[in-house]
C-alpha cells in the first residue's frame, strides 16, 4: 500500500516525465531519496471534537489530521514532504468509529476502519457498494487500521471507498470552520478539489459520513480491475446503485460512477439520466455503456492502464455492477452482454 | 518526550519515547523485542505484523502513540499465550507447524506470517484455502512460494482442534539412508518461528553509531565537489566519510575491481545508486536527516542506458580505462558449422525476445554492523556482522579497501533473510568497517527498502535473438543466437552470468551446430549480477519459446519435439562436453506429460491435443510446457573447492563448520545430514556453524547451486575421515577388523553387537592421540574454459515445468492455475527443504513472467518502493505438483547435484506458452501486460512485443 500524493519541494534529482502521464502528482513522484524518520514534533490524540479543533486551529497549517495513517505516514516519511509540527489523531474521539442507523440514514464515523465496514451488517444491507469496496482495500492488516475518513480525505480519483460511496448519495460531516464542533453536512462530491487534494480548510476535518437507508427495491455494487504489477490503484473501478420499480418494470433511479476518469471522482450523469425510467434491456444497457464511454475522459497513465484498455473495461465493469445492483434491488433478469466468443462450445 | 504505557505479551511497560516512533521501532529498539521484523516500511509486506487489541496491524506504519494503553501481542508472546490457555507445548501450534512443514526458510517473514495466521485462527478455527489466501494476501514470502505456509496453517488449525499435527505430504523419493533422504526439520527452525533468530539489524552494541549513505543524484556524473561541513556541524553527527577517507583500494568488485567505495575524485558516479558520502551519527534519524545537508556539485555526463546503444561508437564510455569500451565481455560459442546446419534444415524459425531487469526482493534488507578491533573482549579484530553469500570475499575486499591484512578483519555471518544472488557483492561492509575504524565505535548501517532497491545489483535485462533450424523429422540441426545483456554500471558477476546465458542458449537439447554471440555491456543502469538462474532464466525463455515456434511450424507435438532432441547420456553439448551420467530430462518430460494426460482424461477427454484452448466460464485455459537445465558449480575452468571442518566431542556430539552461507536454503540441514550420516549420529546431535572467517574454513561463494555439492562433500569427507579413525581406534580396543565396524544410532557396532557409544569412542580417539577435529578441502572435478571443449561443468540439473494458465477473455487477466514440475536433482538429500526450494523457485519464476520488472528510465528508477515491485503474493500461488527425479551423480554427495536455481528456469516460458495455447497470442517480452494482451486479443494479433514497464 503505497501512494504518494504530495508534490515534492525542490527535488534534487532530474525528474523523468513521461508524455503519457496524466496525474504526475501521484504517479510520477518518486524522487524523495531518503526516508525521513522524525516525521513530526508532537502527536496528539484528543478525546473530544473541541480539543481536536482547538489543536488544529492552534497549529494551523503546521498541523495534519491523522486517522489510520497508512497513507499519510508514508507520505510524511518521504524527504520532500512538508513536515508538520503537530499530528492530530482523531481515532480516539468518542463515537468516531460508530456505524449506526439515525432516522432514515446510515451514519459511519470517519474513524471506522475498512475492516469493520466490510463486515458490518448495516453497511452490507444499505451500502453494499461501500461494503464491497472496503473489503478490497489493501490487505487485512491495512484494513484493520485504514479508515473511510482517511480514504475520502486523500481525494484520489479512483480510491475504492470513494467510488463505492459516490453512488450512495453520500454526505460528509465536515467539522470545524463555520460549522464548529457540530459540523455541517455536505454532499460528497464537494469534497474533491483535484487529484490528491480536498476542499477542506486547514482547520476542518471529516467527522462522519452518511447515506440513505436502502429500501427493498434498491441495490448497489462495486467492482474494479487491478493489475498484478506494482501499481496500487485500480486500472478502472466502477460502482452502481439502482432503484427498481417492480410495478412498471423499469429502473427508477440510477447512480453510476466510473474512475479514474478525470482528476476528481465523478458520476456518469448522462448514462444515469438515460437509464432512469427505462427497462433494463440489453439494448438499454448497451446504450448506457456507450454513454459512459463517450462522456468519460479516459487517459493513459504510465504503467497503470492505457486509455484504450479503460474504455474496453467500461462494459465489463458496468455489466457486473449494474447486474448485481439490479439483482439486489429485486430484479434478477438482467441480460448478460453477449461477446464474440459466446458461440463457442464449452469444453 | 511523551510517556507511553503499553502491555506487550502480558507485561506492562512504561517508557518515554519520541513522538514519531513507530510501534515496530518501539518494540525493536525500546523494548528489545527484535522478533518483529521490518522489511519494507510501507505496509506492503506484513513482516512487521503484530496484534494490537485483538487486531493485526503493520507495526512499521503504526505510530506508537496510537497504541498508548493498548494490549499488544508479538511473536515472542505467541507460545506463552497458548501455553497458559491450552497446553504445555513450548511452541504455539502455528510455530510447530511452520517448522514441521518447512514453511520457514530464511525466516525473516516468519514472525509476521505467524502473527497474521494467528489472527485468522483466532476468528476461524477451520479456514479453507480461500480464507487463508485472503488473510495472508499482504504478507509476503520470497522463499517458500507459499504452498508450505498454507499447509502449515491448515495443520496448525487441525492441531488446535484435535491435538494432533498431521504430517506434511511430500513427493516420492528413493529410499532414505539414516539421515540423508529424510525430511528432517531444519536446525534453525525453532529460532526462526519464535523470533529469536538474530539477523544483523537485531544486533546492538554499547555506544553503537548509525550510518546513512548519500547516493548519486544522477545516472552519470563527475563529482566536482562534496561539501560536508553543514552535515558535520549537526549535533549528533560524529563524522562524514567520502572517497578521500578510503586508505586502500578505492574500488572493489567480485571479478573486476571497478566499483568505487565512494564515487568522487577520479571515479564518476556511474549510476543512480552510487554512494557519495556516509554520515555517521549517534542516531539513525540524525544520520539520515544530515545527508540532506551535504552539498554535492556534479558535472552531469551523458548517460547510456540501452545495451545495444552502448556498443555503438558514439556512445558515452563508462570506464575509459578499459580497452574494450563499454563491452564488458564478448562471449562466443562455436560448435560445428551453422551454415552447414542451416543448409540441412527444412524449416527455420527466428525471433527476438526481451526479459526484464528484476529484483531479488529478499525480505531482509542489507545490514552491516562493524565493531572496531579491541572494542571489547569479543572483538579482538575489526569485526563485521553481515548476512553475506561470500564471507571470505567480503573479508578480502574490506581488507583491501582499508589497507589491512585479511587476517585483521573478521566477517561474522548473522542469520540471513534471503539472498538469491543479491548478497554476493559488497553492500555496506566496507563503509561500516571504515566508519568503525574512524570513530573507534561500533557502527550499524541498515538499508531501508528504498535504498536496497536503488543500490544492489539486479538480474540482467536481456535482448535475445534466436534462429533455429530443424529437419522435417524434427531434429534440430542449427542454432544461431545473439544476446545482449545489460550489465549496468559495474561488472559484478556480469561476465559470468552472461556466459551462462550463452552456453545454455541451445537449451537442454542435442544441437550439432551452434554459433552464439553474447555482448555483456556496461550501461548507466543499476548494476546487474547474480540472481537465481544466473542468466539461464533469461536464455531459457527465448530457447523454449522458440521450441514452441518450431513445433508449430513443423506441425509436431511440442513434447515430441523436445523428447526427440532432449539431452541424454551420450549427448555432446554445444560447448563440446560429453554427458556421461545423470541426465534425467527424458524422465522429467515423461512424468510431466503423464500428469497432463491425466488432467485431460478428467477435464477434457475429447480434446485433440494437450495444447488446445479450453473455455471455462469467462476464461480460456491452456497448458504450456518448457524444459530447462542448469549447471552445478562454477565451471569454466575455475577451481571449485570448499573446505569444511568436522569436530567430535566426548559427549557424543559433533560439529561441522564452513564459511558457506545459509540464506534460507537449508544448507545447514544438508551439512548436518551429511555428518550425521557418516558418523552414525542422530541429526540433532550435529551442530553447524557457518559464515565466520575466524572460526570456519572457506567454503567459497554460495552461488551456482554449488554448496550441497561442494560443501556437502567437504563435510562428508571430513566426517568420513573421523569415522575411519573411530573404526580403527575401536577395532584396536575391541579386536577384529576396522572394516567390520559400523557407526549407527550414536553408537559403534560390529554386526548386531553394540561395542560402545559414540561418546566412548571419541574418548578412545582422544586417548589414542588421534585428532578429533579434521578439515577437508573438497576439490570438485576439473572443468575446462569455454572454447576449449571438454567438461565445462561437472554436473547439470534438469527440469520440465508445465503450467495451466487461464486468461480472462474480458479483462486479459492472466493466472497460473496449476503447475506440474519434474526436477532431476541427482538425489534428494532432504525432501522437505528440497520441495520448499522447488515451490519457491517456481513461484519466483512466475513473478518473472507475470509481475516483476525493475523499471528504469534514462538510468533513473521508477521502481522505488516495494509497492512498485510486486513479487507474487499468496493469491497468485498455483497448485503445484512436484516430481522428484533422481539420476545420481557419482561424484555428488550421495548422488546429489544442485537444486537452488533450476526450479526458477523453465516456468516463465511454460507460462508464456500456456498463454499462447489459451488465447493465441505469443508474448515475446516479459513480464506480461494484461492491458496489451487484451488489446492484442481484440485486434486478433498473434504476437505481442510490448510488456509491462515499456515506455
Amino acid at each position: 500500500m503505497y501512494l504518494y500524493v504530495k508534490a515534492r519541494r525542490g527535488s534534487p534529482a532530474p525528474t523523468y516525465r513521461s508524455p503519457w502521464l496524466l496525474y504526475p502528482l501521484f504517479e510520477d513522484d518518486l524522487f524523495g531519496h531518503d526516508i525521513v524518520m522524525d516525521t513530526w514534533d508532537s502527536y496528539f490524540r484528543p478525546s473530544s471534537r473541541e480539543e481536536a479543533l482547538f489543536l488544529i486551529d492552534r497549529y494551523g497549517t503546521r498541523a495534519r489530521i491523522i486517522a489510520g495513517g497508512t497513507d499519510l505516514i508514508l507520505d510524511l516519511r518521504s524527504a520532500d514532504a512538508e513536515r508538520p509540527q503537530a499530528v492530530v489523531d482523531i481515532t480516539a474521539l468518542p463515537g468516531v468509529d460508530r456505524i449506526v442507523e439515525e432516522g432514515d440514514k446510515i451514519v459511519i464515523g470517519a474513524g471506522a476502519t475498512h475492516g469493520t465496514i466490510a463486515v458490518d451488517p448495516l453497511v452490507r444491507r444499505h451500502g453494499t457498494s461501500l461494503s464491497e469496496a472496503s473489503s478490497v482495500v489493501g490487505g487485512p492488516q491495512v484494513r484493520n487500521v485504514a479508515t473511510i475518513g482517511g480514504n475520502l480525505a486523500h481525494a484520489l480519483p479512483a480510491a475504492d471507498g470513494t467510488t463505492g460511496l459516490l453512488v450512495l448519495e453520500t454526505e460528509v460531516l465536515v467539522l470545524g470552520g463555520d460549522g464548529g464542533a457540530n459540523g455541517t453536512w455536505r454532499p460528497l462530491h464537494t469534497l474533491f478539489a483535484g487529484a490528491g487534494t480536498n476542499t477542506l480548510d486547514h482547520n476542518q476535518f471529516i467527522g462522519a459520513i452518511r447515506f440513505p437507508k436502502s429500501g427493498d427495491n434498491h441495490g448497489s455494487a462495486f467492482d474494479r480491475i487491478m493489475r498484478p504489477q506494482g501499481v496500487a490503484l485500480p486500472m478502472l473501478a466502477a460502482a452502481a446503485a439502482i432503484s427498481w420499480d417492480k410495478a412498471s418494470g423499469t429502473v427508477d433511479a440510477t447512480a453510476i460512477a466510473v474512475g479514474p476518469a478525470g482528476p476528481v471522482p465523478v458520476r456518469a450523469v448522462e448514462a444515469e439520466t438515460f437509464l432512469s425510467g427505462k427497462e433494463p434491456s440489453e439494448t438499454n444497457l448497451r446504450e448506457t455503456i456507450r454513454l459512459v464511454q463517450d462522456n468519460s475522459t479516459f487517459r493513459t497513465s504510465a504503467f497503470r492502464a492505457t486509455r484504450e484498455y479503460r474504455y474496453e473495461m467500461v462494459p465489463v465493469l458496468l455489466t457486473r455492477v449494474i447486474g448485481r445492483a439490479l439483482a439486489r434491488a429485486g430484479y434478477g433478469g438482467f441480460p448478460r452482454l453477449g461477446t464474440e466468443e459466446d458461440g463457442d462450445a464449452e469444453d | 518526550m511523551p510517556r507511553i504505557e503499553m502491555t506487550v505479551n502480558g507485561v506492562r511497560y512504561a517508557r518515554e519515547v519520541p513522538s514519531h516512533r513507530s510501534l515496530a521501532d518501539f518494540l525493536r529498539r525500546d523494548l528489545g523485542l527484535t522478533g518483529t521484523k521490518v522489511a519494507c516500511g510501507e505496509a506492503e509486506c506484513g513482516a512487521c505484523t503484530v496484534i494490537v487489541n485483538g487486531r493485526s496491524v503493520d507495526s512499521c506504519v503504526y505510530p506508537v502513540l496510537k497504541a498508548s494503553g493498548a494490549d499488544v501481542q508479538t511473536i515472542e508472546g505467541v507460545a506463552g499465550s497458548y501455553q497458559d490457555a491450552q497446553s504445555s507445548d513450548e511452541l504455539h501450534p502455528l510455530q510447530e507447524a511452520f517448522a514441521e512443514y518447512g514453511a520457514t526458510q530464511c525466516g525473516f517473514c516468519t514472525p509476521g506470517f505467524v502473527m497474521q495466521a494467528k489472527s485468522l485462527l483466532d476468528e476461524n478455527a477451520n479456514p479453507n484455502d480461500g480464507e487463508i489466501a485472503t488473510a495472508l494476501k499482504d504478507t509476503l514470502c520470497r522463499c517458500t512460494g507459499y504452498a508450505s505456509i498454507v499447509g502449515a496453517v491448515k495443520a496448525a488449525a487441525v492441531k488446535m482442534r484435535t491435538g494432533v499435527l498431521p504430517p506434511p505430504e511430500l513427493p516420492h523419493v528413493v529410499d532414505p539412508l539414516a539421515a540423508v533422504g529424510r525430511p528432517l526439520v531444519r536446525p534453525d527452525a525453532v529460532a526462526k518461528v519464535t523470533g529469536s533468530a538474530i539477523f544483523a539489524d537485531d544486533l546492538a552494541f554499547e555506544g553503537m553509531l548509525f550510518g546513512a549513505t548519500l547516493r548519486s543524484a544522477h545516472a552519470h556524473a563527475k563529482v566536482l565537489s562534496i561539501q560536508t561541513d553543514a552535515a558535520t556541524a549537526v549535533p549528533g553527527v560524529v563524522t562524514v566519510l567520502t572517497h578521500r577517507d578510503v586508505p586502500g583500494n578505492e574500488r572493489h568488485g567480485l571479478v573486476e575491481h571497478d566499483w568505487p567505495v565512494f564515487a568522487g575524485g577520479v571515479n564518476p558516479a556511474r549510476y543512480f545508486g552510487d554512494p557519495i558520502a556516509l554520515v555517521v551519527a549517534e542516531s539513525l534519524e540524525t544520520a539520515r536527516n544530515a545527508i540532506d545537508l551535504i552539498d554535492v556539485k556534479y558535472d552531469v555526463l551523458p548517460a547510456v542506458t540501452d545495451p545495444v546503444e552502448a556498443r555503438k561508437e558514439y556512445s558515452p564510455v563508462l570506464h575509459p580505462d578499459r580497452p574494450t569500451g563499454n563491452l564488458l565481455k564478448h562471449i562466443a560459442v562455436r560448435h560445428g558449422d551453422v551454415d552447414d546446419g542451416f543448409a540441412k534444415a527444412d524449416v527455420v524459425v527466428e525471433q527476438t525476445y526481451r526479459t526484464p531487469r528484476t529484483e531479488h526482493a529478499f525480505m531482509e534488507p542489507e545490514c552491516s554492523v562493524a565493531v572496531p578491533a579491541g572494542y571489547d573482549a569479543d572483538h579482538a579484530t575489526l569485526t563485521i556482522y553481515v548476512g553475506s553469500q561470500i564471507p571470505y570475499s567480503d573479508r578480502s575486499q574490506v581488507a583491501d579497501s582499508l589497507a589491512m591484512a585479511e587476517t585483521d578483519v573478521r566477517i561474522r555471518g548473522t542469520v540471513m533473510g534471503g539472498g538469491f544472488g543479491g548478497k554476493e557483492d559488497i553492500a555496506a561492509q566496507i563503509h561500516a568497517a571504515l566508519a568503525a575504524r574512524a570513530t573507534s565505535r561500533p557502527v550499524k548501517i541498515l538499508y531501508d527498502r528504498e535504498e536496497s532497491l536503488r543500490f544492489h545489483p539486479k538480474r540482467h535485462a536481456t535482448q535475445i535473438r534466436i534462429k533455429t533450424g530443424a529437419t522435417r523429422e524434427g531434429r534440430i540441426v542449427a542454432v544461431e543466437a545473439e544476446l545482449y545483456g545489460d550489465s549496468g554500471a559495474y561488472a559484478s558477476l556480469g561476465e559470468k552470468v552472461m556466459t551462462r546465458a550463452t552456453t545454455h542458449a541451445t537449451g537442454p537439447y542435442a544441437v550439432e551446430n551452434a554459433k552464439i554471440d553474447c555482448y555483456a555491456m556496461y550501461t548507466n543502469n543499476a548494476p546487474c549480477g547474480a540472481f537465481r538462474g544466473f542468466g539461464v532464466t533469461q536464455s531459457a525463455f527465448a530457447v523454449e519459446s522458440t521450441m514452441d515456434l518450431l513445433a508449430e511450424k513443423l506441425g509436431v507435438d511440442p513434447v515430441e519435439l523436445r523428447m526427440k532432441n532432449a539431452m541424454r547420456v551420450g549427448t555432446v553439448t554445444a560447448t563440446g562436453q560429453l554427458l556421461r551420467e545423470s541426465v534425467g530430462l527424458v524422465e522429467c518430460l515423461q512424468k510431466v506429460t503423464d500428469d497432463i494426460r491425466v488432467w485431460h482424461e478428467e477435464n477434457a477427454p475429447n480434446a485433440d491435443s494437450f495444447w488446445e484452448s479450453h473455455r471455462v466460464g469467462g476464461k480460456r485455459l491452456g497448458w504450456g510446457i518448457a524444459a530447462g537445465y542448469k549447471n552445478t558449480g562454477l565451471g569454466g575452468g575455475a577451481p571449485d573447492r570448499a573446505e569444511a571442518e568436522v569436530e567430535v566431542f566426548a559427549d557424543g556430539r559433533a560439529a561441522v563448520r564452513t564459511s558457506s552461507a545459509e540464506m534460507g536454503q537449508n544448507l545447514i540441514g544438508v551439512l548436518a545430514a551429511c555428518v550425521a550420516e557418516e558418523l552414525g549420529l542422530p541429526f540433532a546431535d550435529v551442530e553447524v556453524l557457518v559464515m565466520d572467517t575466524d572460526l570456519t574454513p572457506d567454503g567459497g561463494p554460495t552461488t551456482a547451486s554449488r554448496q550441497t555439492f561442494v560443501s556437502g562433500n567437504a563435510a562428508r569427507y571430513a566426517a568420513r575421515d573421523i569415522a575411519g579413525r573411530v573404526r580403527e581406534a575401536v577395532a584396536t580396543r575391541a579386536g577384529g577388523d576396522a572394516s567390520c565396524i559400523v557407526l549407527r544410532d550414536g553408537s559403534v557396532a560390529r554386526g548386531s553387537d553394540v561395542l560402545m557409544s559414540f561418546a566412548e569412542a571419541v574418548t578412545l580417539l582422544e586417548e589414542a592421540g588421534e585428532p578429533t577435529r579434521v578439515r577437508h578441502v573438497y576439490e570438485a572435478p576439473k572443468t575446462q574454459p569455454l572454447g576449449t571443449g571438454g567438461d565445462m561443468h561437472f554436473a547439470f540439473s534438469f527440469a520440465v515445468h508445465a503450467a495451466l494458465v487461464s486468461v480472462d477473455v474480458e479483462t486479459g487477466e492472466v493466472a497460473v492455475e496449476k503447475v506440474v514440475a519434474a526436477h532431476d536433482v541427482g538425489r534428494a538429500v532432504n525432501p522437505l527443504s528440497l520441495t520448499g526450494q522447488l515451490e519457491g523457485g517456481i513461484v519466483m519464476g512466475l513473478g518473472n513472467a507475470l509481475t516483476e520488472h525493475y523499471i528504469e528510465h534514462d538510468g533513473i528508477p521508477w521502481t522505488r518502493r516495494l509497492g512498485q515491485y510486486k513479487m507474487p503474493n499468496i493469491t497468485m500461488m498455483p497448485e503445484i505438483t512436484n516430481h522428484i527425479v533422481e539420476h545420481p551423480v557419482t561424484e555428488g554427495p550421495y548422488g546429489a547435484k544442485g537444486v537452488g536455481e533450476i526450479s526458477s528456469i523453465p516456468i516463465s516460458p511454460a507460462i508464456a506458452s500456456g498463454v499462447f495455447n489459451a488465447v493465441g497470442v505469443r508474448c515475446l517480452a516479459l513480464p506480461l501486460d494484461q492491458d496489451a494482451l487484451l488489446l492484442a486479443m481484440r485486434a486478433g494479433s498473434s504476437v505481442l512485443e510490448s510488456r509491462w514497464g515499456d515506455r
Side-chain angles (χ1 to χ4, degrees), chain A:
Chain A
M1 274 305 291
Y2 195 80
L3 287 172
Y4 287 87
V5 286
K6 299 293 283 186
R8 302 304 167 77
R9 288 171 295 150
S11 170
T15 27
Y16 157 69
R17 297 240 176 248
S18 161
W20 288 359
L21 286 172
L22 171 62
Y23 308 126
L25 286 187
F26 67 88
E27 291 200 330
D28 174 29
D29 43 25
L30 303 164
F31 295 93
H33 293 186
D34 316 293
I35 302 284
V36 175
M37 299 178 74
D38 54 344
T39 32
W40 53 70
D41 292 331
S42 304
Y43 191 93
F44 296 102
R45 211 155 180 251
S47 54
S48 72
R49 288 179 178 182
E50 290 76 9
E51 192 186 342
L53 290 170
F54 170 78
L55 284 166
I56 57 173
D57 200 46
R58 188 174 102 184
Y59 284 94
T61 53
R62 293 163 303 151
R64 289 296 293 269
I65 294 286
I66 188 171
T70 51
D71 282 331
L72 180 75
I73 287 175
L74 304 178
D75 190 23
L76 294 182
R77 280 184 190 168
S78 66
D80 297 323
E82 203 86 44
R83 184 176 178 281
Q85 194 173 348
V87 168
V88 181
D89 181 340
I90 58 153
T91 58
L93 300 182
V96 76
D97 59 350
R98 71 195 187 281
I99 301 177
V100 292
E101 293 178 80
E102 279 181 13
D104 60 351
K105 304 216 190 269
I106 301 297
V107 179
I108 303 177
T113 64
H114 289 292
T116 308
I117 291 169
V119 298
D120 186 89
L122 280 177
V123 185
R124 277 205 182 159
R125 167 73 186 81
H126 299 286
T128 319
S129 56
L130 172 63
S131 188
E132 288 181 332
S134 285
S135 72
V136 295
V137 171
Q141 295 99 315
V142 166
R143 288 198 292 275
N144 281 340
V145 177
T147 66
I148 188 64
N151 194 257
L152 294 176
H154 211 166
L156 296 176
D160 299 315
T162 305
T163 307
L165 279 173
L166 267 182
V167 296
L168 294 178
E169 308 303 335
T170 304
E171 293 170 288
V172 178
L173 178 64
V174 175
L175 304 177
D178 294 342
N182 289 326
T184 45
W185 289 98
R186 283 204 216 164
L188 174 61
H189 70 86
T190 65
L191 193 63
F192 308 115
T197 317
N198 63 43
T199 56
L200 298 181
D201 288 334
H202 67 80
N203 60 351
Q204 294 179 316
F205 68 94
I206 300 171
I209 57 167
R210 68 180 182 191
F211 47 79
K213 283 160 76 174
S214 176
D216 288 342
N217 66 335
H218 182 267
S220 66
F222 166 89
D223 211 333
R224 63 178 192 178
I225 310 279
M226 294 290 286
R227 62 159 68 243
Q229 295 97 0
V231 182
L233 288 167
M235 301 174 86
L236 198 69
I242 290 180
S243 296
W244 167 243
D245 185 347
K246 195 173 180 180
S248 65
T250 59
V251 168
D252 200 17
T254 316
I256 297 172
V258 174
V264 295
V266 285
R267 292 254 299 261
V269 183
E270 297 84 355
E272 291 176 354
T273 310
F274 168 78
L275 191 59
S276 298
K278 302 261 188 341
E279 289 175 18
S281 65
E282 179 169 345
T283 312
N284 286 336
L285 175 62
R286 285 192 187 283
E287 181 61 11
T288 305
I289 288 165
R290 192 192 63 77
L291 284 167
V292 172
Q293 287 176 320
D294 288 357
N295 292 295
S296 301
T297 318
F298 295 120
R299 301 289 292 267
T300 293
S301 24
F303 311 133
R304 187 166 156 208
T306 60
R307 190 176 71 79
E308 294 79 2
Y309 185 83
R310 284 178 164 150
Y311 188 87
E312 295 287 334
M313 287 307 102
V314 172
V316 176
L317 284 175
L318 285 188
T319 308
R320 290 183 194 170
V321 295
I322 294 175
R324 290 212 303 265
L326 265 171
R328 285 166 186 156
Y331 177 71
F334 186 66
R336 184 174 165 271
L337 275 192
T339 68
E340 313 95 272
E341 295 217 14
D342 269 3
D344 291 11
E346 305 248 332
D347 293 306

